[in-house]
Amino acid sequence: MCELCTLSRRRFLRGFASGAAVLGTGLLGGATAFLTTTARAAEPVILGKGQYRYRVLESWGELPPGMTFGDGAAICVDSKDNVYAFTRGAHPVIVFDRDGKFLRTWGEDIGFTNPHGASIGPDDMLYLTDDHGHTVRKCTPDGKLLMTIGTPKMPAPRFSGNPFNRCTHTALSPTGEIYVSDGYQNARVHKYSPDGKLLFSWGEPGTDPGQFNLVHNIACDDDGWVYVADRENHRVQVFDGNGNYQGQWNNLARPCGLFVARGKSPLAFIGELGPESVATLTQGVPNIGPRVSIVSSKGDVLAHLGTQALGEGAGQFIAPHGIAVDSRGDIYVAEVSNTYWAILYGKKPDHELRSFQKLVKVS
Protein backbone atom coordinates (compact mmCIF):
# COMPACT_ATOMS: atom_id res chain seq x y z
CA MET A 1 0.00 0.00 0.00
CA CYS A 2 1.35 3.46 -0.93
CA GLU A 3 2.21 6.00 1.74
CA LEU A 4 -0.73 8.23 0.78
CA CYS A 5 -3.20 5.37 0.95
CA THR A 6 -1.79 4.31 4.32
CA LEU A 7 -2.10 7.86 5.60
CA SER A 8 -5.69 8.14 4.37
CA ARG A 9 -6.56 4.84 5.99
CA ARG A 10 -5.06 5.93 9.32
CA ARG A 11 -7.06 9.16 9.18
CA PHE A 12 -10.23 7.22 8.42
CA LEU A 13 -9.65 4.80 11.28
CA ARG A 14 -8.95 7.67 13.68
CA GLY A 15 -12.20 9.33 12.55
CA PHE A 16 -14.08 6.05 12.93
CA ALA A 17 -12.66 5.50 16.40
CA SER A 18 -13.66 9.03 17.42
CA GLY A 19 -17.16 8.44 16.08
CA ALA A 20 -17.40 5.16 17.95
CA ALA A 21 -16.37 6.85 21.18
CA VAL A 22 -19.07 9.45 20.73
CA LEU A 23 -21.63 6.76 19.95
CA GLY A 24 -20.66 5.09 23.21
CA THR A 25 -21.75 8.17 25.13
CA GLY A 26 -24.82 8.97 23.06
CA LEU A 27 -26.24 7.74 19.76
CA LEU A 28 -27.72 11.08 18.76
CA GLY A 29 -24.49 12.95 19.42
CA GLY A 30 -22.51 10.39 17.42
CA ALA A 31 -24.89 10.64 14.47
CA THR A 32 -24.68 14.44 14.54
CA ALA A 33 -20.90 14.31 14.54
CA PHE A 34 -20.92 11.88 11.61
CA LEU A 35 -23.31 14.02 9.55
CA THR A 36 -21.30 17.14 10.27
CA THR A 37 -18.09 15.45 9.16
CA THR A 38 -19.75 14.13 6.00
CA ALA A 39 -21.18 17.55 5.11
CA ARG A 40 -17.80 19.16 5.66
CA ALA A 41 -16.12 16.62 3.37
CA ALA A 42 -18.66 17.32 0.63
CA GLU A 43 -18.06 21.07 0.56
CA PRO A 44 -17.08 22.22 -2.94
CA VAL A 45 -13.60 23.53 -3.67
CA ILE A 46 -13.69 27.24 -4.58
CA LEU A 47 -10.79 28.93 -6.37
CA GLY A 48 -10.12 32.65 -6.81
CA LYS A 49 -11.36 35.69 -4.95
CA GLY A 50 -13.95 38.48 -5.03
CA GLN A 51 -16.00 38.44 -8.22
CA TYR A 52 -13.56 35.95 -9.76
CA ARG A 53 -14.52 32.84 -7.82
CA TYR A 54 -14.97 29.41 -9.40
CA ARG A 55 -16.20 26.07 -8.14
CA VAL A 56 -14.19 23.03 -9.18
CA LEU A 57 -16.51 20.59 -10.95
CA GLU A 58 -14.82 17.25 -10.50
CA SER A 59 -15.02 14.45 -13.08
CA TRP A 60 -16.45 16.66 -15.83
CA GLY A 61 -16.69 15.00 -19.25
CA GLU A 62 -18.17 11.50 -19.36
CA LEU A 63 -16.66 9.01 -21.79
CA PRO A 64 -18.13 5.78 -23.21
CA PRO A 65 -16.71 2.58 -21.71
CA GLY A 66 -13.21 1.85 -22.96
CA MET A 67 -12.55 5.35 -24.31
CA THR A 68 -9.80 7.55 -22.87
CA PHE A 69 -8.58 11.08 -23.51
CA GLY A 70 -4.88 10.28 -23.78
CA ASP A 71 -3.96 13.90 -23.11
CA GLY A 72 -5.79 17.21 -23.35
CA ALA A 73 -3.97 19.40 -25.88
CA ALA A 74 -6.64 22.09 -26.31
CA ILE A 75 -10.29 22.94 -25.88
CA CYS A 76 -12.82 25.32 -27.44
CA VAL A 77 -16.52 26.14 -27.08
CA ASP A 78 -19.06 26.90 -29.83
CA SER A 79 -22.02 29.30 -29.85
CA LYS A 80 -24.27 26.64 -28.29
CA ASP A 81 -21.79 25.97 -25.45
CA ASN A 82 -20.86 22.61 -26.89
CA VAL A 83 -17.28 21.78 -25.90
CA TYR A 84 -14.65 20.37 -28.27
CA ALA A 85 -11.76 18.58 -26.60
CA PHE A 86 -8.71 18.22 -28.87
CA THR A 87 -6.91 15.16 -27.55
CA ARG A 88 -3.85 13.02 -28.15
CA GLY A 89 -5.75 9.77 -27.83
CA ALA A 90 -7.39 7.52 -30.41
CA HIS A 91 -10.21 10.04 -30.94
CA PRO A 92 -8.70 13.46 -31.72
CA VAL A 93 -11.89 15.50 -31.24
CA ILE A 94 -14.37 14.56 -28.51
CA VAL A 95 -17.51 16.67 -28.28
CA PHE A 96 -19.56 17.26 -25.12
CA ASP A 97 -22.44 19.46 -24.11
CA ARG A 98 -21.75 22.02 -21.39
CA ASP A 99 -22.76 19.55 -18.68
CA GLY A 100 -20.14 17.06 -19.85
CA LYS A 101 -22.51 14.69 -21.66
CA PHE A 102 -20.72 12.84 -24.46
CA LEU A 103 -22.03 13.72 -27.93
CA ARG A 104 -19.65 12.36 -30.57
CA THR A 105 -16.05 12.02 -31.75
CA TRP A 106 -14.37 12.79 -35.05
CA GLY A 107 -11.01 13.42 -36.66
CA GLU A 108 -9.79 9.83 -36.64
CA ASP A 109 -9.31 9.86 -40.45
CA ILE A 110 -7.97 13.42 -40.89
CA GLY A 111 -4.34 12.57 -40.19
CA PHE A 112 -3.46 14.52 -37.08
CA THR A 113 0.07 13.79 -35.88
CA ASN A 114 0.22 15.63 -32.56
CA PRO A 115 -2.83 17.76 -31.65
CA HIS A 116 -1.78 21.05 -30.08
CA GLY A 117 -4.16 24.01 -30.48
CA ALA A 118 -7.89 24.55 -31.04
CA SER A 119 -9.90 27.69 -31.65
CA ILE A 120 -13.35 28.40 -33.04
CA GLY A 121 -14.75 31.18 -35.21
CA PRO A 122 -18.05 33.07 -34.91
CA ASP A 123 -19.49 30.69 -37.51
CA ASP A 124 -18.54 27.73 -35.28
CA MET A 125 -15.84 26.52 -37.67
CA LEU A 126 -12.89 24.93 -35.85
CA TYR A 127 -9.20 25.66 -36.49
CA LEU A 128 -7.05 22.77 -35.28
CA THR A 129 -3.27 23.10 -35.06
CA ASP A 130 -1.04 20.04 -35.39
CA ASP A 131 2.48 20.94 -34.28
CA HIS A 132 4.30 17.79 -35.42
CA GLY A 133 2.20 17.80 -38.60
CA HIS A 134 3.06 21.50 -39.24
CA THR A 135 -0.48 22.32 -40.32
CA VAL A 136 -3.67 24.16 -39.43
CA ARG A 137 -6.92 22.46 -40.46
CA LYS A 138 -10.28 24.18 -40.69
CA CYS A 139 -13.18 21.82 -39.93
CA THR A 140 -16.95 21.95 -39.46
CA PRO A 141 -18.41 21.11 -36.04
CA ASP A 142 -19.14 17.62 -37.39
CA GLY A 143 -15.60 17.04 -38.59
CA LYS A 144 -15.70 17.82 -42.31
CA LEU A 145 -12.30 19.11 -43.46
CA LEU A 146 -12.68 22.44 -45.28
CA MET A 147 -9.15 23.79 -45.58
CA THR A 148 -5.55 22.89 -44.74
CA ILE A 149 -2.87 25.56 -44.26
CA GLY A 150 0.64 24.13 -44.49
CA THR A 151 1.91 20.88 -45.96
CA PRO A 152 1.36 17.90 -43.64
CA LYS A 153 4.61 16.57 -42.15
CA MET A 154 6.71 18.96 -44.27
CA PRO A 155 8.28 21.53 -41.90
CA ALA A 156 9.92 24.74 -43.01
CA PRO A 157 13.64 25.03 -42.15
CA ARG A 158 14.23 25.53 -38.46
CA PHE A 159 13.93 29.22 -37.43
CA SER A 160 13.74 30.31 -41.06
CA GLY A 161 10.70 32.47 -40.36
CA ASN A 162 8.75 30.62 -43.05
CA PRO A 163 5.55 28.75 -42.12
CA PHE A 164 5.48 26.29 -40.42
CA ASN A 165 7.87 24.51 -38.11
CA ARG A 166 5.84 23.14 -35.19
CA CYS A 167 3.02 25.69 -35.22
CA THR A 168 1.06 25.87 -32.00
CA HIS A 169 -2.27 27.71 -32.20
CA THR A 170 -4.59 29.99 -34.20
CA ALA A 171 -6.74 33.06 -33.62
CA LEU A 172 -9.29 34.91 -35.77
CA SER A 173 -9.48 38.67 -36.29
CA PRO A 174 -12.90 40.39 -36.22
CA THR A 175 -12.85 40.35 -40.03
CA GLY A 176 -11.89 36.69 -40.35
CA GLU A 177 -8.12 36.82 -40.90
CA ILE A 178 -6.27 33.90 -39.38
CA TYR A 179 -3.26 34.35 -37.09
CA VAL A 180 -0.99 31.36 -36.51
CA SER A 181 1.59 31.12 -33.72
CA ASP A 182 4.66 29.24 -34.94
CA GLY A 183 6.03 27.90 -32.47
CA TYR A 184 8.58 25.42 -31.15
CA GLN A 185 11.04 25.64 -34.05
CA ASN A 186 10.11 29.11 -35.29
CA ALA A 187 9.71 32.40 -33.42
CA ARG A 188 7.01 33.82 -35.62
CA VAL A 189 3.42 34.91 -36.04
CA HIS A 190 1.83 34.54 -39.49
CA LYS A 191 -1.29 36.35 -40.68
CA TYR A 192 -3.47 34.74 -43.35
CA SER A 193 -6.51 35.88 -45.30
CA PRO A 194 -9.78 34.05 -44.53
CA ASP A 195 -9.18 31.80 -47.54
CA GLY A 196 -5.71 30.79 -46.37
CA LYS A 197 -3.36 33.09 -48.28
CA LEU A 198 -0.29 34.31 -46.36
CA LEU A 199 -0.41 38.10 -45.87
CA PHE A 200 2.70 38.73 -43.75
CA SER A 201 4.67 37.49 -40.75
CA TRP A 202 6.54 39.00 -37.80
CA GLY A 203 8.84 38.01 -34.95
CA GLU A 204 12.27 36.52 -34.38
CA PRO A 205 14.05 34.68 -31.55
CA GLY A 206 14.97 36.79 -28.54
CA THR A 207 13.78 38.52 -25.40
CA ASP A 208 13.24 42.09 -26.64
CA PRO A 209 9.80 43.49 -27.44
CA GLY A 210 8.48 41.82 -30.58
CA GLN A 211 10.83 38.87 -30.20
CA PHE A 212 9.76 35.43 -29.00
CA ASN A 213 11.08 32.53 -26.99
CA LEU A 214 8.56 29.81 -27.82
CA VAL A 215 5.44 31.51 -29.14
CA HIS A 216 2.95 29.03 -27.70
CA ASN A 217 -0.54 30.47 -28.07
CA ILE A 218 -2.39 33.36 -29.65
CA ALA A 219 -5.72 35.17 -29.27
CA CYS A 220 -7.50 38.16 -30.77
CA ASP A 221 -10.03 40.60 -29.29
CA ASP A 222 -12.96 42.43 -30.87
CA ASP A 223 -10.80 45.48 -31.60
CA GLY A 224 -8.37 43.40 -33.63
CA TRP A 225 -5.51 43.41 -31.11
CA VAL A 226 -3.40 40.27 -31.03
CA TYR A 227 -2.21 38.61 -27.80
CA VAL A 228 0.72 36.20 -27.95
CA ALA A 229 1.74 33.80 -25.18
CA ASP A 230 5.54 34.11 -25.27
CA ARG A 231 5.99 31.12 -23.02
CA GLU A 232 9.67 30.90 -22.16
CA ASN A 233 9.89 34.69 -21.80
CA HIS A 234 7.16 34.39 -19.11
CA ARG A 235 4.97 37.04 -20.71
CA VAL A 236 2.08 37.80 -23.03
CA GLN A 237 2.90 40.35 -25.74
CA VAL A 238 0.24 42.57 -27.30
CA PHE A 239 0.27 43.73 -30.94
CA ASP A 240 -2.03 45.55 -33.32
CA GLY A 241 -3.35 43.83 -36.44
CA ASN A 242 -0.27 44.89 -38.40
CA GLY A 243 2.13 43.21 -36.00
CA ASN A 244 3.22 46.42 -34.27
CA TYR A 245 4.20 45.93 -30.63
CA GLN A 246 1.83 47.63 -28.15
CA GLY A 247 2.91 46.29 -24.76
CA GLN A 248 3.31 43.18 -22.64
CA TRP A 249 2.05 41.49 -19.50
CA ASN A 250 4.71 40.10 -17.20
CA ASN A 251 4.85 38.03 -14.00
CA LEU A 252 3.41 34.93 -15.65
CA ALA A 253 4.69 31.42 -15.01
CA ARG A 254 5.28 30.04 -18.52
CA PRO A 255 1.91 30.94 -20.10
CA CYS A 256 0.58 28.13 -22.28
CA GLY A 257 -3.20 28.43 -22.60
CA LEU A 258 -4.68 31.78 -23.64
CA PHE A 259 -8.30 32.87 -24.09
CA VAL A 260 -9.42 36.48 -24.57
CA ALA A 261 -13.11 37.21 -24.01
CA ARG A 262 -15.36 39.25 -26.26
CA GLY A 263 -16.41 42.90 -25.81
CA LYS A 264 -14.69 46.08 -24.71
CA SER A 265 -11.87 45.82 -22.16
CA PRO A 266 -11.94 42.01 -22.31
CA LEU A 267 -10.60 39.70 -19.65
CA ALA A 268 -7.85 37.25 -20.52
CA PHE A 269 -7.71 33.75 -19.06
CA ILE A 270 -4.22 32.29 -18.98
CA GLY A 271 -3.19 28.72 -18.23
CA GLU A 272 0.31 28.79 -16.73
CA LEU A 273 2.48 25.70 -16.90
CA GLY A 274 4.61 26.61 -13.90
CA PRO A 275 8.10 25.26 -13.10
CA GLU A 276 9.86 23.18 -15.71
CA SER A 277 11.27 20.77 -13.16
CA VAL A 278 10.51 19.25 -9.79
CA ALA A 279 13.98 19.93 -8.48
CA THR A 280 14.41 20.40 -4.74
CA LEU A 281 14.18 24.18 -5.00
CA THR A 282 10.79 24.21 -6.74
CA GLN A 283 9.06 21.02 -5.64
CA GLY A 284 5.97 21.69 -3.58
CA VAL A 285 6.32 25.50 -3.68
CA PRO A 286 2.93 27.31 -3.79
CA ASN A 287 2.01 30.34 -5.93
CA ILE A 288 4.30 29.63 -8.90
CA GLY A 289 1.99 27.40 -10.90
CA PRO A 290 0.66 25.36 -12.46
CA ARG A 291 -2.44 27.57 -12.31
CA VAL A 292 -4.98 29.68 -14.20
CA SER A 293 -4.75 33.47 -13.97
CA ILE A 294 -7.36 36.07 -14.88
CA VAL A 295 -5.88 39.29 -16.27
CA SER A 296 -7.51 42.60 -17.16
CA SER A 297 -7.13 44.23 -20.57
CA LYS A 298 -4.50 46.48 -18.97
CA GLY A 299 -2.49 43.51 -17.78
CA ASP A 300 -3.47 43.61 -14.11
CA VAL A 301 -3.75 40.18 -12.49
CA LEU A 302 -7.24 39.96 -10.97
CA ALA A 303 -7.09 36.43 -9.59
CA HIS A 304 -5.02 33.27 -9.51
CA LEU A 305 -7.01 30.04 -9.67
CA GLY A 306 -4.93 27.33 -8.07
CA THR A 307 -2.19 28.39 -5.68
CA GLN A 308 -0.94 24.96 -4.61
CA ALA A 309 1.86 22.95 -6.12
CA LEU A 310 1.04 20.51 -8.92
CA GLY A 311 -1.13 17.53 -8.12
CA GLU A 312 -4.28 15.58 -8.86
CA GLY A 313 -6.38 16.97 -6.02
CA ALA A 314 -9.43 19.16 -6.47
CA GLY A 315 -8.20 22.68 -7.14
CA GLN A 316 -4.77 21.54 -8.31
CA PHE A 317 -3.34 21.42 -11.83
CA ILE A 318 -0.53 19.51 -13.49
CA ALA A 319 -0.02 21.05 -16.93
CA PRO A 320 -2.56 23.65 -18.18
CA HIS A 321 -2.09 23.75 -21.96
CA GLY A 322 -5.34 25.02 -23.46
CA ILE A 323 -8.20 27.08 -22.08
CA ALA A 324 -11.67 28.29 -23.10
CA VAL A 325 -14.62 30.09 -21.53
CA ASP A 326 -18.31 29.54 -22.33
CA SER A 327 -21.22 31.99 -22.53
CA ARG A 328 -21.89 31.69 -18.78
CA GLY A 329 -18.31 32.45 -17.80
CA ASP A 330 -17.36 28.88 -16.90
CA ILE A 331 -13.74 27.93 -17.61
CA TYR A 332 -12.54 24.76 -19.32
CA VAL A 333 -8.89 23.74 -18.93
CA ALA A 334 -7.07 21.18 -21.07
CA GLU A 335 -3.95 19.65 -19.54
CA VAL A 336 -1.14 17.65 -21.13
CA SER A 337 -0.72 15.96 -17.78
CA ASN A 338 0.48 12.58 -18.98
CA THR A 339 3.09 14.07 -21.31
CA TYR A 340 4.35 16.62 -18.81
CA TRP A 341 4.49 14.19 -15.89
CA ALA A 342 7.13 12.18 -17.74
CA ILE A 343 9.10 15.39 -18.43
CA LEU A 344 8.98 16.41 -14.78
CA TYR A 345 9.65 13.07 -13.15
CA GLY A 346 11.54 11.17 -15.83
CA LYS A 347 8.99 8.38 -16.02
CA LYS A 348 5.44 7.88 -17.20
CA PRO A 349 2.64 7.99 -14.62
CA ASP A 350 1.33 4.62 -13.43
CA HIS A 351 -2.25 5.57 -14.39
CA GLU A 352 -3.91 7.97 -16.82
CA LEU A 353 -3.96 11.40 -15.26
CA ARG A 354 -6.81 13.90 -15.50
CA SER A 355 -6.71 15.81 -18.79
CA PHE A 356 -9.69 18.20 -18.59
CA GLN A 357 -11.24 20.30 -15.83
CA LYS A 358 -14.25 22.58 -15.61
CA LEU A 359 -14.41 25.56 -13.24
CA VAL A 360 -17.94 26.89 -12.73
CA LYS A 361 -18.26 30.62 -12.14
CA VAL A 362 -19.76 31.41 -8.74
CA SER A 363 -22.41 34.13 -9.05
Side-chain angles (χ1 to χ4, degrees), residues 91-115:
H91 307 280
V93 179
I94 306 177
V95 189
F96 303 91
D97 68 13
R98 70 176 316 275
D99 296 321
K101 179 183 177 181
F102 172 83
L103 299 179
R104 59 187 178 275
T105 71
W106 52 264
E108 293 86 352
D109 58 348
I110 288 179
F112 295 112
T113 305
N114 191 57

Side-chain angles (χ1 to χ4, degrees), residues 288-310:
I288 57 173
R291 65 190 180 191
V292 171
S293 293
I294 302 174
V295 179
S296 75
S297 59
K298 297 181 180 179
D300 298 322
V301 176
L302 304 175
H304 291 308
L305 312 182
T307 59
Q308 301 305 310
L310 69 85

Side-chain angles (χ1 to χ4, degrees), residues 197-283:
K197 293 182 175 62
L198 179 64
L199 301 176
F200 62 89
S201 307
W202 78 87
E204 62 182 1
T207 59
D208 291 340
Q211 296 180 332
F212 302 115
N213 183 10
L214 209 172
V215 49
H216 193 273
N217 210 315
I218 193 164
C220 198
D221 69 15
D222 287 349
D223 291 327
W225 285 39
V226 183
Y227 303 80
V228 179
D230 186 11
R231 194 180 87 179
E232 299 306 316
N233 281 331
H234 301 276
R235 65 186 179 185
V236 169
Q237 295 195 65
V238 185
F239 302 87
D240 65 18
N242 295 315
N244 298 310
Y245 174 84
Q246 301 297 317
Q248 65 185 38
W249 305 337
N250 299 307
N251 303 324
L252 298 169
R254 304 174 72 212
C256 270
L258 178 62
F259 180 90
V260 175
R262 304 272 65 87
K264 296 294 182 181
S265 301
L267 297 178
F269 299 81
I270 302 171
E272 298 173 66
L273 194 57
E276 60 183 337
S277 74
V278 286
T280 303
L281 295 179
T282 56
Q283 187 171 8

Side-chain angles (χ1 to χ4, degrees), residues 98-164:
R98 70 176 316 275
D99 296 321
K101 179 183 177 181
F102 172 83
L103 299 179
R104 59 187 178 275
T105 71
W106 52 264
E108 293 86 352
D109 58 348
I110 288 179
F112 295 112
T113 305
N114 191 57
H116 195 278
S119 60
I120 198 162
D123 56 357
D124 284 344
M125 297 298 108
L126 281 80
Y127 295 80
L128 303 173
T129 309
D130 180 354
D131 73 326
H132 287 176
H134 315 287
T135 54
V136 174
R137 291 178 172 92
K138 179 181 179 180
C139 300
T140 67
D142 292 320
K144 180 181 178 181
L145 179 62
L146 301 178
M147 179 173 64
T148 299
I149 305 176
T151 304
K153 300 182 181 179
M154 293 291 290
R158 184 172 181 264
F159 291 106
S160 65
N162 299 322
F164 300 117

Side-chain angles (χ1 to χ4, degrees), residues 74-76 118 217 257-259 269-271 292-293 321-325 331-334:
I75 196 161
C76 57
N217 210 315
L258 178 62
F259 180 90
F269 299 81
I270 302 171
V292 171
S293 293
H321 194 264
I323 193 166
V325 179
I331 302 171
Y332 302 84
V333 183

Side-chain angles (χ1 to χ4, degrees), residues 75-91:
I75 196 161
C76 57
V77 182
D78 70 14
S79 61
K80 299 177 182 178
D81 278 349
N82 292 319
V83 183
Y84 299 77
F86 198 27
T87 82
R88 293 177 180 170
H91 307 280

